[in-house]
Amino acid sequence: MRTIVSRLIQSHSLPSRLSSQGLLRNWRLLSTGSNKVEETFKIEEAETVKPEAPGPEKILVLGGNGFVGSHVCKEAVQQGFSVSSFSRSGRSSIQESWADSVVWHQGSLLVQDSLKNAMNDVSAVVSCVGGFGSYSHMYKINGTANINAIRTAAEQGVKRFVYISAADFGLVNYLLRGYYDGKRAAEAELLSKFTYGGVILRPGFIYGTRQVGGMKIPLGVIGSPLEMILQHAKPLNKVPVFGPLLTPPVSVTAVAKVTVRAATDQVFPPGIVDVYGILRFSEQK
């Protein structure tokens, strides 16, 4: 009897042992497989790449070797911007350290191909181009040449364009019709092509030390006192015929400062800035 019971117990415990051994074997397989899964999906830490800091904004000054243009180049260089100039004569004759930091391009505003090359990767263009002479000559320099520059800049994707124009002087406008007709035509083109990034500065008489050959002419001797007096006589500027003649002068350093700000400050208001606006902006820090 004992033998029969013993055999029955052994027969019942056998499946249990087999089941336990199978579970153990399966667990080992699962455990081994899980290690493989972990190895498969193991993610290596990505290397941290620091983005390069953006370079300085690039400004192209048309007529950068002239009286106003050279001061704009100097101001922009001193503020840390990348500056280039485009003019018929190329490099300026000014022997100052800032001039070595400017890229001097030589060419004509009436030749679009040379303009395109100078405007590569430029974020803002400043035009200080102007001239006097016969009606046709004044219109071509002040109007046609600047209109061509404005259109080329728009095609090249330039963001901002600052045009240094001129204030109205009543009777003087009539005597210099080609000059003013050209200026106003360029202004209209700028406002149509650069609705949100076009700035027109209309200074009056711009004074400062002019370099004519080897001689320096200190126009500030006259301009500075007149500015002090006439900037407070704005109501007289509205007097018909002779009122515009009382427009206050403005220093070339003030014009340069406001020009660079207009070319680089994204919140600088687009549109026309008269001489009183130039004086106001130049006093701001």
Side-chain angles (χ1 to χ4, degrees):
M1 186 68 180
R2 288 180 180 177
T3 304
I4 294 171
V5 171
S6 176
R7 287 178 180 176
L8 286 172
I9 292 172
Q10 289 176 0
S11 65
H12 282 292
S13 63
L14 181 60
S16 178
R17 286 199 303 271
L18 291 174
S19 177
S20 298
Q21 291 173 359
L23 287 172
L24 182 59
R25 190 182 300 111
N26 289 338
W27 171 253
R28 288 173 180 171
L29 288 172
L30 286 171
S31 178
T32 304
S34 65
N35 289 337
K36 291 181 179 179
V37 170
E38 288 178 2
E39 291 175 3
T40 304
F41 288 92
K42 185 178 181 181
I43 300 174
E44 295 184 1
E45 290 187 14
E47 182 182 354
T48 303
V49 179
K50 294 182 179 180
E52 294 184 6
E57 290 192 53
K58 295 183 179 180
I59 303 173
L60 173 65
V61 182
L62 307 179
N65 58 358
F67 173 54
V68 177
S70 61
H71 281 81
V72 172
C73 288
K74 180 180 180 179
E75 179 70 23
V77 168
Q78 290 178 340
Q79 290 192 30
F81 296 108
S82 175
V83 184
S84 58
S85 167
F86 185 92
S87 63
R88 287 178 298 174
S89 55
R91 183 179 174 84
S92 172
S93 59
I94 296 175
Q95 301 298 317
E96 296 182 18
S97 58
W98 63 264
D100 295 329
S101 300
V102 178
V103 178
W104 303 95
H105 298 284
Q106 185 173 10
S108 171
L109 292 183
L110 300 173
V111 180
Q112 194 173 36
D113 288 341
S114 60
L115 261 177
K116 283 183 177 180
N117 293 332
M119 289 185 183
N120 282 338
D121 300 324
V122 166
S123 55
V125 173
V126 173
S127 178
C128 307
V129 175
F132 298 96
S134 65
Y135 179 91
S136 60
H137 178 76
M138 287 190 290
Y139 190 91
K140 182 172 74 173
I141 299 300
N142 297 284
T144 307
N146 281 302
I147 289 171
N148 190 47
I150 292 165
R151 291 175 178 173
T152 304
E155 292 172 3
Q156 293 293 102
V158 175
K159 302 296 183 184
R160 299 182 71 81
F161 198 112
V162 182
Y163 178 45
I164 299 181
S165 187
D168 288 319
F169 277 100
L171 289 174
V172 177
N173 289 31
Y174 177 78
L175 297 174
L176 298 173
R177 283 192 308 118
Y179 180 86
Y180 281 95
D181 286 353
K183 290 282 189 184
R184 299 302 176 251
E187 288 181 1
E189 187 68 21
L190 179 59
L191 293 176
S192 67
K193 290 290 191 294
F194 288 86
T195 306
Y196 301 105
V199 178
I200 298 166
L201 302 183
R202 285 185 177 178
F205 170 64
I206 302 175
Y207 67 86
T209 301
R210 284 182 180 264
Q211 182 85 29
V212 180
M215 183 172 60
K216 293 183 178 181
I217 304 176
L219 297 177
V221 173
I222 300 173
S224 184
L226 284 175
E227 178 187 342
M228 294 294 293
I229 296 169
L230 295 178
Q231 67 176 318
H232 301 295
K234 186 175 181 179
L236 296 176
N237 189 251
K238 303 298 181 182
V239 175
V241 185
F242 297 105
L245 296 176
L246 299 176
T247 298
V250 60
S251 72
V252 68
T253 53
V255 173
K257 180 181 178 181
V258 176
T259 299
V260 173
R261 179 180 172 186
T264 57
D265 187 350
Q266 301 301 316
V267 298
F268 193 96
I272 299 172
V273 182
D274 65 11
V275 63
Y276 299 100
I278 294 171
L279 290 171
R280 185 175 66 255
F281 280 119
S282 68
E283 293 172 355
Q284 297 176 356
K285 294 183 178 180

